[in-house]
Amino acid sequence: MGIVTDSDDEQRQRWIAQTLERLSHSQFRAKFVLSDKDRAYARSKGKAVIDRHAHEMLRDRVGAAEPKNDGRQTPWRGHPVFTAQHATATCCRGCIEKWHHIAQGRALTDDEIDRLSNLVMAWIERDLIHHPVQ
């Protein structure tokens, strides 16, 4: 009999659930919700487009070893990914280091960007589920 191990997807889903749970205990992180406008935008664009935006924004805004204006580069509103970045502590390299234990001073790997983007998308999807279309 072989050793039973979790699939990569199960591990990823467990990490996302545990991380969202941990973030929910932060008064600052827990206060974020999408605006009605951002929810409508996310629903109209669809998951694939928002996921692409999440990857692009994470890569462009926090992916470098020393991002431009680090700590101030992620707007508070204007796109669902921006709000989700603040809610998931993926808004700057300091928050990424503190919450996700990814050291500053080096570029994020593609795998790290994928992992953080998956977290952002899970947060957005959860917000959309908790706020159904009226």
Side-chain angles (χ1 to χ4, degrees):
M1 253 179 13
I3 297 173
V4 177
T5 60
D6 290 336
S7 72
D8 289 342
D9 187 54
E10 289 170 333
Q11 289 177 359
R12 180 176 58 85
Q13 291 300 327
R14 186 173 28 260
W15 177 80
I16 287 170
Q18 290 169 346
T19 303
L20 290 174
E21 171 64 21
R22 204 166 34 95
L23 290 161
S24 75
H25 296 287
S26 163
Q27 283 186 334
F28 177 73
R29 303 287 167 199
K31 73 179 181 180
F32 289 98
V33 294
L34 292 177
S35 68
D36 290 340
K37 184 177 177 182
D38 283 346
R39 284 188 197 108
Y41 179 83
R43 287 182 173 116
S44 73
K45 293 298 179 184
K47 183 177 178 178
V49 171
I50 301 301
D51 184 55
R52 189 181 80 240
H53 291 174
H55 277 82
E56 291 168 356
M57 290 175 184
L58 286 166
R59 187 177 299 107
D60 294 347
R61 291 177 180 272
V62 297
E66 296 180 17
K68 182 180 178 189
N69 299 321
D70 195 27
R72 297 180 308 280
Q73 76 273 44
T74 304
W76 292 98
R77 63 183 64 89
H79 194 285
V81 171
F82 294 152
T83 303
Q85 281 185 264
H86 291 290
T88 60
T90 58
C91 47
C92 70
R93 290 306 293 268
C95 291
I96 290 171
E97 183 174 57
K98 175 182 176 181
W99 285 90
H100 306 293
H101 312 292
I102 300 172
Q104 297 183 60
R106 67 164 180 80
L108 296 176
T109 66
D110 288 342
D111 285 344
E112 289 165 339
I113 289 172
D114 286 345
R115 186 170 51 140
L116 296 176
S117 180
N118 288 336
L119 180 64
V120 164
M121 289 302 297
W123 185 90
I124 290 171
E125 290 172 24
R126 187 179 68 178
D127 183 274
L128 293 175
I129 289 167
H130 287 131
H131 299 92
V133 177
Q134 300 295 329

